[in-house]
Amino acid sequence: MCHKFAIIVLLSTVGAIWAQQQPYYLQKCPRDEAQLNDCLRESGNKLVHYLQKGVPELDIFEIEPVVIDEIGIVLGSGPDGYRALFRNIQAYGVSNITVTNVRSDLDSLQFQLTCEIPRIRVKAQYRSTGVLILVKASGAGDYWGEYEGVKAKIYFKANANTGADGRTYLTTDAVKMDFNVKDIQMGVDNIANGNSVIQAALNLFINSNSQELLKEMKPALRTKLTLVIRNFMDRIFAKIPLEEWIDVE
């Protein structure tokens, strides 16, 4: 009986030690303010590296494409104003993100991340109505876009909660983000009931005014991306306790 009891105690002890081991996909950071932000940047990039391949322990097997249900833009007013709705937006290349800077305040649990993504490829289905560059642009088809030199800032404030295991887990209380793009190429293909002249005219206008079009799309896109980021953060925070991010003792 004593022998069996000793084995049970040993296995329980080993299990507890194993459960508290630092996960391979994350680097624990010291609380020291002089080192914390640089360490969090390195830890974030380490996590991104493993997320690109999938991390089964976090129930994450793939993170691309990033999907947005729909966004719309309006150019001009009146009955001939141009309106376009983009649906089933799929973005590739987002997982190549690099965290370049972190600012943090552990007392208030506020964080700001500066990030860069070399290139994002986007595809979607679109439907439009109205007049664009004196051409009746009503129709539907496929949208594509290539966004190079993407820079983003993400701010979030978190709340701390004690989990059933006695450890601390974060949930996002507020998330804000903004971004800019250095170079853009985009266009439309396979216009339903259209012709090559209309498609060529649309693509000429789109590429000649890509930054202006992005500016029109930005408010709706920023709102959707903020929701995607918040959901993803909460998914990660639910799996990784604060004690694995930072040495809080």
Side-chain angles (χ1 to χ4, degrees):
M1 179 66 70
C2 290
H3 180 67
K4 291 182 178 179
F5 179 75
I7 292 176
I8 292 173
V9 171
L10 177 62
L11 290 175
S12 298
T13 303
V14 171
I17 294 173
W18 179 260
Q20 294 176 6
Q21 283 187 342
Q22 183 67 15
Y24 64 88
Y25 49 78
L26 202 65
Q27 174 178 318
K28 181 182 282 191
C29 295
R31 192 181 177 89
D32 180 10
E33 292 184 5
Q35 306 176 53
L36 179 59
N37 288 335
D38 284 342
C39 181
L40 286 175
R41 174 180 54 80
E42 294 172 1
S43 185
N45 287 325
K46 182 176 183 178
L47 178 60
V48 166
H49 170 75
Y50 283 101
L51 287 175
Q52 290 171 340
K53 306 173 184 179
V55 181
E57 294 87 347
L58 301 178
D59 291 329
I60 295 177
F61 299 93
E62 58 181 19
I63 58 175
E64 290 199 357
V66 174
V67 178
I68 297 174
D69 54 357
E70 65 178 39
I71 61 170
I73 61 171
V74 177
L75 299 176
S77 58
D80 290 332
Y82 179 75
R83 291 167 172 79
L85 182 65
F86 301 83
R87 289 179 171 169
N88 189 28
I89 303 161
Q90 300 180 44
Y92 298 84
V94 180
S95 64
N96 292 322
I97 189 170
T98 298
V99 181
T100 58
N101 189 56
V102 174
R103 295 174 62 186
S104 64
D105 183 339
L106 288 185
D107 293 331
S108 61
L109 291 177
Q110 297 186 72
F111 304 85
Q112 181 177 286
L113 313 179
T114 303
C115 308
E116 295 182 359
I117 304 173
R119 182 169 176 260
I120 299 176
R121 294 180 296 107
V122 175
K123 62 179 183 178
Q125 285 79 54
Y126 87 96
R127 181 175 296 277
S128 64
T129 59
V131 174
L132 197 60
I133 53 173
L134 304 180
V135 175
K136 189 70 174 177
S138 299
D142 300 324
Y143 166 85
W144 61 269
E146 295 187 359
Y147 303 79
E148 295 190 1
V150 181
K151 294 185 177 181
K153 283 192 175 181
I154 302 167
Y155 159 85
F156 70 94
K157 185 179 185 304
N159 291 325
N161 307 280
T162 302
D165 59 0
R167 297 193 287 180
T168 306
Y169 291 85
L170 301 181
T171 55
T172 55
D173 180 52
V175 178
K176 298 178 182 178
M177 70 88 62
D178 199 4
F179 66 93
N180 59 69
V181 182
K182 183 178 180 181
D183 294 308
I184 308 172
Q185 288 187 324
M186 54 175 128
V188 294
D189 292 320
N190 304 317
I191 297 178
N193 301 320
N195 59 51
S196 58
V197 174
I198 293 177
Q199 181 166 306
L202 284 173
N203 283 330
L204 176 62
F205 175 84
I206 288 170
N207 276 297
S208 299
N209 299 274
S210 57
Q211 289 288 353
E212 287 76 11
L213 287 172
L214 178 62
K215 183 179 179 180
E216 294 297 325
M217 298 168 69
K218 200 171 185 178
L221 189 55
R222 188 165 47 206
T223 298
K224 296 287 186 176
L225 286 174
T226 299
L227 181 59
V228 169
I229 291 168
R230 182 169 190 163
N231 289 339
F232 187 75
M233 282 184 172
D234 281 336
R235 186 178 173 188
I236 292 291
F237 290 154
K239 294 287 186 179
I240 306 177
L242 182 61
E243 289 83 354
E244 292 181 357
W245 292 93
I246 301 169
D247 187 359
V248 294
E249 295 182 358

